[in-house]
Amino acid sequence: MNIDQIKKEFPIFDEKIQNNDLVYLDSANSSQKPKVVVDRINEFYTKQFSNVGRSVHYLAVAATNLYENTRSSVQKYINAKDKNEIVFTKGATEALNLIANTLGQSYLQEGDEVLITELEHHSNYVPWHFLRKSKNIKINFAEINEEGEITVEEIEKKITPKTKLISITHLSNVTGAILPVKEITQLAHSKGIIVVVDGCQGAPHLKLDMQELDCDFYAISCHKMYGPTGLGVLYGKKKWLEELPPYQGGGGMINEVKKDRISYGELPNKYEAGTMATAQVIAFDQSIKFLESIGIENVMKHEANLVEYGQELLQKNNSVKLIGNPKNKGGVLSFTIEGVHPHDIATILDEDGVAIRAGHHCCQILHDKLNIPASARASVGIYNTKEDLDQLNESINNCKKIFNL
Amino acid sequence: MNLKELYQEIILEHGKNPRNLRKTEGFNKDAKGNNPLCGDNVHVYLKLNGQKIVEDASFEGSGCAISMASASIMTDLIKGKNEHEAKEIVEDFLGMIKENPELKSKYLSEDEKTKLMCLSGVKQYPMRVKCATLSWHTMVSAFEENTEEVKTEN
Ligand SMILES: Cc1ncc(COP(=O)(O)O)c(C=O)c1O
């Protein structure tokens, strides 16, 4: 696999960013887009545009087919059993809200417990908090260990007879820990507990097989997966999506509308109310093809090498403290520098064209637990190289110099 | 390129050893501010005497070098000023951070102006302006006895 060749497929790397070559280490936030994806959006709007699923004219039928093609591609990519288990949303956030809202309407009862973890992104906590407010459910937190991991044992310890649902991240966007989702799901199912997975960081970097994972729901963020913004995927087992009530009401999701009664459409339309992000869905097919052309095994190998290399570099750099040291780690390097606030780090690195993120990364619970207000985070994607991490390390050194460390 | 202007020695020094980073005993005005985007937070305490003059000012909180230095310098120079003077200084400071090339307030000594001008480097870093201004907005809120937490506008 030739990374230089792959990098060339991303037009952004031809740009000078404030006179620098871009060292993009913020893919956990959002990935850059390959040309095929950008071009596909342009092509659809200039040559093929129509709304989908509504009209019978040529363009509408063609656009509908393209839209449904992506659904089939996603189904294959994540090995879902049924095409109708794939629902498009505006992002992973909406997917998680959809799950919490509909389970809240029809499944979870007052006093039921939802188990999440200290690693969760706010979008896998706040939607459950809504139910804590409206339905009086209880939220429990599985705690991280010293390495920043969540173990099956810890999950088991936190399960009570009232636990109805476990909602966990596949890969932490701060510590990089990859959770044993399959084992947790087995355990949960043996006790009749539903499993929801926030797959935002998992989907772009790990091999996905819904039938093997066996979780009940899996949320994907397309913009982190070399795809367009404004798009997410909700995978849900058919029996759940059939059984649960609709989320949003409007056009496209209905079967029959009368003054005194309304019936709802079949899957997946039931969950796709209103005009969807048509161009994004159609372009996302190219993101999947792009990932398939490289091969997820190659992606995983490349990123694992990068993380190992970056981890070693930063561990050797005194005053840099890495957050978490999970055995099973994805492409995320979060760190602090004693004496330099993460925002100052980010500003100084930016001056060299090194784009990282500083802050709590939407994980305040975790930062509270670690007793730090914020951290700096470098995260990798398929286009990154060891040279990028060398530059990161060098810019960190510059940062230390400015702060007289 | 402009990093040297942003991280001047005075900023680094105040950032490292912030003055008045404590809670004023017997304070009679206070307010909280936070920056929801980055999680920075500050709690400003003021103690005004019978003549409405700031006898002591202090702050608690955490943040980047810019925000800590800004709060440190602010709490230092606001001591001895009355509410009217303090508010004029805030206006002057915010004006300078936004657009004005210099500080104009007659209530600021040359030395104080020089110190504050060290923060003018943030002008070139729009994302960091709120780091420099949070404590100032929060101090105004304390004077006005606003109980609502100050959120930095973007
Ligand atoms: C772990 C995790 N969950 C959820 C989200 C939200 O995803 P989206 O931007 O698609 O709504 C993110 C992205 O920031 C994330 O990293």
Side-chain angles (χ1 to χ4, degrees):
Chain A
M1 185 174 53
N2 184 339
I3 295 300
D4 290 336
Q5 211 57 45
I6 290 174
K7 198 163 176 170
K8 284 207 182 78
E9 295 184 38
F10 289 79
I12 194 125
F13 295 112
D14 297 334
E15 298 294 310
K16 288 279 175 205
I17 309 298
Q18 299 195 82
N19 299 321
N20 286 302
D21 287 333
L22 174 62
V23 176
Y24 190 74
L25 292 170
D26 199 17
S27 296
N29 186 350
S30 197
S31 68
Q32 294 295 345
K33 316 303 168 201
K35 186 163 184 293
V36 281
V37 172
V38 183
D39 285 351
R40 190 67 189 93
I41 290 178
N42 189 27
E43 189 191 13
F44 175 66
Y45 276 128
T46 46
K47 298 192 180 143
Q48 301 172 305
F49 181 75
S50 166
N51 206 343
V52 300
R54 284 164 167 71
S55 308
V56 294
H57 57 76
Y58 177 82
L59 285 176
V61 174
T64 305
N65 287 338
L66 290 168
Y67 183 92
E68 291 304 322
N69 276 347
T70 304
R71 200 188 307 277
S72 300
S73 298
V74 174
Q75 180 209 342
K76 279 199 211 86
Y77 191 74
I78 69 173
N79 194 26
K81 204 185 249 166
D82 193 305
K83 183 170 177 256
N84 289 335
E85 296 182 319
I86 309 301
V87 175
F88 292 113
T89 62
K90 86 169 169 69
T93 300
E94 188 179 54
L96 291 163
N97 275 276
L98 187 161
I99 301 164
N101 177 288
T102 53
L103 284 168
Q105 285 184 58
S106 67
Y107 184 75
L108 296 171
Q109 307 290 332
E110 178 166 350
D112 284 351
E113 295 180 7
V114 167
L115 176 58
I116 66 173
T117 81
E118 290 177 337
L119 291 176
E120 298 315 313
H121 188 279
H122 295 164
S123 57
N124 193 22
Y125 173 31
V126 183
W128 306 113
H129 169 73
F130 287 168
L131 296 182
R132 182 160 65 184
K133 287 276 168 199
S134 65
K135 297 216 63 157
N136 245 329
I137 65 151
K138 192 174 164 213
I139 301 174
N140 295 319
F141 291 85
E143 293 180 33
I144 54 167
N145 62 14
E146 285 290 306
E147 319 296 341
E149 304 168 310
I150 296 284
T151 61
V152 182
E153 294 71 41
E154 169 62 14
I155 294 281
E156 185 156 27
K157 216 168 83 191
K158 288 288 156 69
I159 290 176
T160 78
K162 290 197 167 154
T163 307
K164 283 280 160 51
L165 181 144
I166 297 177
S167 193
I168 50 173
T169 186
H170 198 171
L171 194 167
S172 162
N173 62 323
V174 180
T175 69
I178 298 170
L179 273 63
V181 171
K182 192 177 160 189
E183 291 72 17
I184 291 173
T185 304
Q186 277 168 356
L187 170 71
H189 284 174
S190 74
K191 297 172 187 280
I193 299 167
I194 309 176
V195 176
V196 177
V197 181
D198 174 354
C200 278
Q201 303 294 339
H205 308 290
L206 302 174
K207 185 172 167 56
L208 295 186
D209 185 333
M210 289 305 125
Q211 296 185 62
E212 192 192 318
L213 274 187
D214 201 34
C215 56
D216 299 279
F217 300 94
Y218 194 96
I220 293 174
S221 174
C222 299
H223 68 89
K224 296 182 202 282
M225 219 176 149
Y226 311 105
T229 54
L231 187 64
V233 169
L234 164 66
Y235 160 81
K237 276 190 181 161
K238 200 166 162 197
K239 66 164 182 171
W240 281 114
L241 295 181
E242 275 174 351
E243 186 184 315
L244 291 172
Y247 174 51
Q248 292 183 335
M253 53 75 72
I254 47 80
N255 175 31
E256 197 180 38
V257 177
K258 299 290 174 196
K259 278 192 173 162
D260 59 349
R261 71 196 137 82
I262 294 173
S263 60
Y264 307 127
E266 302 276 306
L267 286 177
N269 297 352
K270 176 180 166 188
Y271 288 108
E272 294 183 359
T275 295
M276 301 293 288
T278 316
Q280 289 93 318
V281 170
I282 289 169
F284 187 55
D285 202 30
Q286 297 298 319
S287 312
I288 292 179
K289 290 205 165 76
F290 169 76
L291 276 167
E292 281 172 344
S293 74
I294 300 169
I296 191 68
E297 279 83 7
N298 291 326
V299 172
M300 288 164 69
K301 201 167 359 149
H302 174 61
E303 293 177 352
N305 282 338
L306 285 178
V307 179
E308 200 183 313
Y309 182 77
Q311 228 173 337
E312 265 174 37
L313 263 185
L314 297 189
Q315 269 161 357
K316 272 190 266 171
N317 194 330
N318 49 25
S319 18
V320 175
K321 194 167 165 270
L322 278 164
I323 295 174
N325 186 26
K327 277 188 281 301
N328 231 339
K329 184 173 165 80
V332 185
L333 297 162
S334 294
F335 60 95
T336 53
I337 301 177
E338 176 89 48
V340 192
H341 191 277
H343 292 145
D344 296 316
I345 302 174
T347 295
I348 294 169
L349 266 52
D350 184 49
E351 208 75 4
D352 296 333
V354 179
I356 62 154
R357 182 162 172 191
H360 51 57
H361 323 300
C362 302
C363 292
Q364 260 189 307
I365 300 289
L366 178 62
H367 283 79
D368 283 352
K369 168 83 173 211
L370 299 168
N371 221 345
I372 49 174
S375 58
R377 179 186 72 187
S379 53
V380 302
I382 186 63
Y383 30 64
N384 288 116
T385 58
K386 290 188 175 165
E387 287 74 46
D388 290 342
L389 297 167
D390 289 334
Q391 179 61 55
L392 169 72
N393 197 39
E394 205 172 298
S395 298
I396 287 175
N397 288 337
N398 181 37
C399 184
K400 283 160 55 179
K401 203 160 87 200
I402 289 176
F403 274 74
N404 305 315
L405 293 179
Chain B
M1 172 181 60
N2 302 312
L3 279 180
K4 288 227 153 51
E5 251 171 79
L6 184 62
Y7 293 106
Q8 299 186 28
E9 274 311 316
I10 294 196
I11 306 276
L12 294 176
E13 203 276 315
H14 274 265
K16 204 167 170 185
N17 306 303
R19 322 290 193 270
N20 314 308
L21 182 61
R22 55 185 165 78
K23 182 174 176 178
T24 298
E25 242 171 74
F27 68 89
N28 42 28
K29 288 185 190 287
D30 73 309
K32 283 186 190 172
N34 91 47
N35 179 344
L37 263 183
C38 46
D40 287 357
N41 61 78
V42 64
H43 194 159
V44 172
Y45 304 94
L46 301 171
K47 184 177 179 186
L48 275 57
N49 68 14
Q51 285 80 50
K52 299 271 174 213
I53 291 173
V54 179
E55 235 177 60
D56 190 35
S58 63
F59 74 103
E60 290 178 321
S62 68
C64 61
I66 312 291
S67 72
M68 295 306 271
S70 187
S72 169
I73 296 171
M74 175 190 85
T75 44
D76 244 0
L77 65 75
I78 222 67
K79 285 181 219 168
K81 314 278 196 290
N82 66 31
E83 175 166 348
H84 168 75
E85 292 165 347
K87 281 189 174 164
E88 187 185 299
I89 292 170
V90 174
E91 282 288 298
D92 199 24
F93 175 75
L94 296 177
M96 184 274 285
I97 288 292
K98 270 203 200 93
E99 52 198 357
N100 301 338
E102 54 197 23
L103 294 157
K104 306 187 195 83
S105 174
K106 57 181 177 297
Y107 302 122
L108 286 169
S109 71
E110 282 313 308
D111 183 47
E112 289 169 335
K113 281 184 185 166
T114 309
K115 267 201 194 128
L116 285 179
M117 285 308 286
C118 289
L119 287 159
S120 65
V122 298
K123 281 183 194 185
Q124 294 173 41
Y125 296 84
M127 290 295 289
R128 306 300 302 275
V129 164
K130 56 191 185 315
C131 308
T133 58
L134 176 63
S135 55
W136 296 74
H137 289 296
T138 307
M139 182 172 72
V140 171
S141 175
F143 273 120
E144 290 173 356
E145 302 190 344
N146 274 337
T147 44
E148 230 173 83
E149 204 164 292
V150 175
K151 305 244 194 298
T152 44
E153 80 280 28
N154 283 298

